[in-house]
Amino acid sequence: MEITIIQLFNGLSMGSILLLIALGLAVTFGLMNVINMAHGELIMIGAYATYITQNLFNDYLPASLFNWYFVLSIPVSFMVAFLIGWLLEVSLIRFLYGRPLDSLLATWGIALMLQQLARTIFGAPNVAVKSPTWLDGGFRLMDGVVLPYKRLFIILLVIVTLVAMFLYIYRSHAGRRMRAVMQNRDMAACLGISTRRVDSMTFAIGSGVAGIAGCALTLMGPIGPSLGTYYIVDAFMVVVLGGVGKLVGTIVGAVGIGVTGTMFEYWTNASLGKVLVFLCIVAFLQWKPKGLVAMKTRSLD
């Protein structure tokens, strides 16, 4: 019983991490059909923004305030990644709409440049981000079952981010314009919606969510210039499995991959578990090529 609860919690926490990583990619990929290979580097930027915030608190503020650096690092990571994503969209991505292969190559080159820039500024070795003391330890659910506070905090952060994204997409005027462009770009433009503004803002918001994911990953271990490369494939798998551009599908896909991957790894090993998950995704996409939740659109194929 205890082992089952622990494995389910590990799967849920892994799924929440995958969801946070893939959330921004799901929105930008679904809206603009841009294969953003630099998404992992935006995650890295959020992680390093957290690292810089930690150092600033450690060097210039009283020690009694250090435990609160992580609370501030969440919006800081979002804003830094938001700004870089916006600059990337207005300077490069805007010229690559409708050219997915060109966008793949261009953003892959940007990813390499960002990695090298991180090595130049912070060095090649990984750096550690010290978690606040209020995240040390865990919640004792029963004998033999302790749920770490760090993973519980990540799950809570994912829930808050999801609620914020839901309110933005489905309850705000900007979100309505975003969904209008997703369903039919030409018709939305005819109705007076600035598709350029929607594109840049959506890409920037997706980048900002990636920054939040990088901030959360600092709780899991050391960070380095290659941090994003470990998660970019998983992010695309979540998006494709869930259904491009659908928030509900992304949630189900991330939780499903997290739970099944954890179970497979427990029954076999880490490498074989990932292979089995990949084979299951390939088999499922042969049955439903559009993913779990297909996006409805008024545009003609």
Side-chain angles (χ1 to χ4, degrees):
M1 182 64 180
E2 292 83 358
I3 296 177
T4 302
I5 295 175
I6 292 174
Q7 292 302 318
L8 288 175
F9 176 75
N10 290 337
L12 180 61
S13 63
M14 180 56 65
S16 65
I17 294 172
L18 292 176
L19 175 58
L20 193 58
I21 291 170
L23 185 59
L25 186 65
V27 176
T28 56
F29 188 29
L31 175 61
M32 291 171 285
N33 196 27
V34 173
I35 304 176
N36 182 20
M37 295 301 294
H39 186 77
E41 280 57 47
L42 294 169
I43 296 172
M44 174 200 69
I45 288 171
Y48 274 117
T50 305
Y51 174 71
I52 294 174
T53 305
Q54 169 197 256
N55 292 344
L56 290 176
F57 265 71
N58 192 38
D59 295 339
Y60 298 105
L61 293 178
S64 58
L65 297 177
F66 179 79
N67 280 333
W68 296 103
Y69 88 88
F70 197 82
V71 176
L72 180 62
S73 67
I74 297 174
V76 168
S77 300
F78 176 85
M79 291 306 301
V80 172
F82 178 96
L83 178 60
I84 293 178
W86 181 81
L87 291 174
L88 180 61
E89 197 280 335
V90 298
S91 62
L92 178 65
I93 300 298
R94 62 178 296 187
F95 303 107
L96 300 176
Y97 294 138
R99 299 158 56 187
L101 293 180
D102 292 343
S103 67
L104 186 151
L105 291 175
T107 53
W108 181 57
I110 293 294
L112 296 178
M113 293 170 59
L114 291 175
Q115 286 185 31
Q116 189 58 45
L117 182 62
R119 291 188 181 95
T120 302
I121 297 175
F122 301 101
N126 291 349
V127 296
V129 177
K130 183 179 179 181
S131 60
T133 56
W134 47 272
L135 287 179
D136 294 337
F139 176 75
R140 189 169 181 268
L141 186 63
M142 62 177 66
D143 291 338
V145 179
V146 177
L147 309 181
Y149 287 137
K150 293 179 181 179
R151 291 184 177 266
L152 290 173
F153 178 81
I154 291 175
I155 294 175
L156 177 62
L157 179 62
V158 172
I159 293 174
V160 172
T161 305
L162 272 176
V163 171
M165 290 294 294
F166 175 82
L167 293 177
Y168 177 80
I169 295 174
Y170 295 100
R171 295 293 185 269
S172 69
H173 294 293
R176 294 189 187 99
R177 290 192 290 269
M178 179 193 298
R179 287 185 287 122
V181 174
M182 289 176 69
Q183 291 180 4
N184 194 316
R185 177 180 294 272
D186 295 334
M187 183 62 69
C190 291
L191 294 175
I193 296 176
S194 175
T195 57
R196 276 291 313 124
R197 184 178 301 173
V198 171
D199 287 340
S200 59
M201 185 58 63
T202 303
F203 194 89
I205 290 176
S207 302
V209 175
I212 296 177
C215 179
L217 287 176
T218 61
L219 297 175
M220 307 301 296
I223 61 173
S226 302
L227 174 68
T229 59
Y230 301 133
Y231 297 98
I232 185 66
V233 175
D234 292 336
F236 274 103
M237 283 198 303
V238 170
V239 172
V240 174
L241 177 63
V244 175
K246 299 300 293 184
L247 192 60
V248 175
T250 304
I251 297 172
V252 177
V255 174
I257 291 177
V259 173
T260 55
T262 301
M263 293 300 181
F264 283 148
E265 290 179 10
Y266 175 73
W267 292 330
T268 58
N269 54 63
S271 300
L272 185 57
K274 286 185 176 295
V275 172
L276 292 174
V277 170
F278 184 75
L279 290 176
C280 290
I281 293 174
V282 172
F284 180 82
L285 291 178
Q286 293 296 317
W287 174 48
K288 295 191 68 174
K290 293 186 177 180
L292 290 167
V293 183
M295 183 175 65
K296 296 180 181 180
T297 177
R298 294 180 180 272
S299 61
L300 296 177
D301 295 332

